[in-house]
Amino acid sequence: MTRSYIREKITVSEHGVYITLKRSDATKNHSEFRIVILEKVSAKDIMETRVGFVAVDYVVFAISVAISISIGIFQAMAGGKQKTTSEYLVGNRQMSVIPVTLSLIVSFESSIMMLAYPAEVYTYGIMFVMSSIGFLLAVLLGTRIVVPLIHPLKITSLYEYLELRYKSKAVRLLGTLLGMLSNVVYMAFVLYGPGLAIEAVTDFPLWASVLCISTASVLYTAIGGLKAVIWTDVFQCFIMFTGVFAVLFKGTYDAGGPREVVNISSRTGRMNFFNFDLDPTVRHTFWGLVVGSAIRLINMTFSQPTVQRICALEKQKDANKMLFVSGPAFLLTLSLACGEGLVAYAYFTSQGCDPIASKDIKKADQIMPYMVFHIFRDTPGMAGLFMAAVFSASLSTLSSLLNSSAAMAEEDIIRQIFKNISDHKATIIAKISVVFFGALGVGLTYFLKNVKGIISQISTSFTSAISGPVTGLFLFSAFYPWGTKRSAIIGTLVSVALVFWLTLGQAMSKSLRRAIPLSSGPTDQCYHNSSMISVHGVSNSTVGYSYFTTEDPLSVESTEPQGLDKYYSISYLWINVLGQAFTLFFGIIASLIEGVPSSESVDVRFVLPFFDQFFPCIPKRIRKRLYFGVPFDKREIMLETYGKDETDVATLNNLGKKNESSKIELLSFQKEDKFRTDEEKTVI
């Protein structure tokens, strides 16, 4: 049957050139049909509708990067000129609360938050915003675990604590190597995000973006140290929030206002806040996003970047204050990022062209830069500002990871090998190590380009395989007083093996059940500059116009998992939690088999009283019984004297290799005049 169509008009919009047709004999609703029309369009018309960087965008972008580098140069020249490890790695432990707090906030809000969180909401709905509550709880838990455990010790490397706890360099080295590996893996994802974004909307290749970000970050981190990282983070915090709010306001306005954003999101099932399913294989539930994230993100507080900021503050109350402010800030910023996902979906729905469904972009993580270049097409400089915000997010996280990796290399490896190395030489080596770790991160980024899926999920899965067992090691050390070095090592290694098996199984299984995204948006106003099937002899240089597509390009089959897939089907949100649980379980079992030490011999300065920290409402006499003789009542007095006698520190540094056991003993039990006899002092 032949039907005739009348071309009413040709319209040029931000989506390109499209044709409006009228059915001359139509009595049925045209939405019942899928119509593909091909029409020749001039190259000039198409070029006029393209979006991308203009000169002003490049200027705004370049200025933001230049300011970050300038801050690093200034910090390298100011004060002590970063000539000591104390100044270079912890800012002489005299940093102010406000800049350190802002630095902590943006250090964990990388390009993954700027790009992947909106993509997650765009694809699967707003439920992911519940994970921000998990962030809040995890940071608040840090005030009861990390701060009281680490700050009194005045250490530079988090993993130095492990040596103090177990009198063992082996445990310290194990934690250091796993921590470095976790940092490098996360660096790769942080570098990959902005490169992917830039590639989506410009002709700038991904590898060039990766090199630009890594070079800038390595430069100001290497020369300026922690002070440069913190003060650059303050500047980048301003850039990030400016970009986020600009996108939210303009995107909401172009989508038809807040009410329209909510209406569109509700109609398409994206206002799906709650799912109380107890099944751990369901990708996202309330329990996984809130409870699982709260436990999983303890690793954020038990991380070298966080510990350096805690130790950069002179007073313990300031460290707590930093975390109390950071928690609500995380809740706010992550909620804003998720809100961007709803705004993006509403905008493209109102425009009639879903760029994922129409294949205008390759990955969901590119949705935000693609939208930004459309909504700000008539406002030069704003697209550059948003991309500067994305780069700033990556720079802040990358610089923190580089500086923390340098701290681990200097404190946990270099000083352990070269015991008499001067502070000046150690600082130089730390600066060189920044370049080394930056190169490793760039190299690993190359392998991510073929990885499928949303960056937030992939990065969480792979980093959890390392950070989960390491976090479990610290929790085991802090709350299980009878742990030994052998049980700590066994528990950690077994956990790493089991969690790596799970992660690799999830990545490699071809029969694993995959989550089904929500329905994609309309594509009736899209045009495709592609070589579509020719109609009426039109050549490959045509532009295709597709109306009312009925196929959802994101949908996948859902099959019931069989065999090992049942284990591999566990939600990625629980991988880190499993890693912690495995370390605790196998560590405790190993200690019981080996034989636990007496409660009186436990050095309570390096462990925490669990019930005092989390259940202080329990009567003191009952709490004391629950500790089975561990003398936690002496902990505060012992910590008050810890680190105050500089003579002992000097003596420690002058001891030779023959007295290695005495050095460790003195490091573990230094400055305890009230608990050491005169005879014991003479022996030491």
Side-chain angles (χ1 to χ4, degrees), residues 326-338:
S326 299
F330 279 127
L331 178 67
L332 172 63
T333 53
L334 297 180
S335 299
L336 292 175
C338 292

Side-chain angles (χ1 to χ4, degrees), residues 461-526:
S461 297
F462 279 93
T463 56
S464 292
I466 308 167
S467 61
V470 173
T471 304
L473 171 61
F474 282 106
L475 293 176
F476 175 79
S477 304
F479 291 113
Y480 186 66
W482 306 280
T484 62
K485 62 182 180 181
R486 291 186 182 86
S487 60
I489 292 174
I490 291 172
T492 304
L493 291 179
V494 172
S495 177
V496 168
L498 291 175
V499 178
F500 257 107
W501 173 31
L502 171 60
T503 304
L504 291 176
Q506 288 186 341
M508 299 177 66
S509 176
K510 296 181 179 180
S511 59
L512 190 64
R513 179 177 61 186
R514 308 294 178 181
I516 302 177
L518 299 174
S519 60
S520 57
T523 58
D524 55 291
Q525 300 298 313
C526 295

Side-chain angles (χ1 to χ4, degrees), residues 591-663:
S591 72
L592 294 176
I593 294 174
E594 180 186 4
V596 297
S598 63
S599 298
E600 293 79 8
S601 66
V602 175
D603 188 346
V604 292
R605 291 174 305 173
F606 308 124
V607 291
L608 291 173
F610 179 82
F611 297 101
D612 286 21
Q613 297 302 109
F614 298 107
F615 302 100
C617 56
I618 298 177
K620 187 175 181 179
R621 57 184 179 81
I622 296 179
R623 279 182 278 149
K624 189 173 182 178
R625 292 180 180 178
L626 292 173
Y627 296 138
F628 298 100
V630 178
F632 282 117
D633 53 331
K634 297 180 180 180
R635 186 172 188 272
E636 289 188 9
I637 299 176
M638 295 173 71
L639 285 175
E640 286 177 2
T641 61
Y642 184 87
K644 291 184 178 180
D645 189 346
E646 297 300 329
T647 302
D648 282 350
V649 177
T651 302
L652 172 65
N653 292 331
N654 290 328
L655 287 173
K657 295 183 179 179
K658 293 182 179 180
N659 296 320
E660 183 63 26
S661 60
S662 297
K663 290 171 66 178

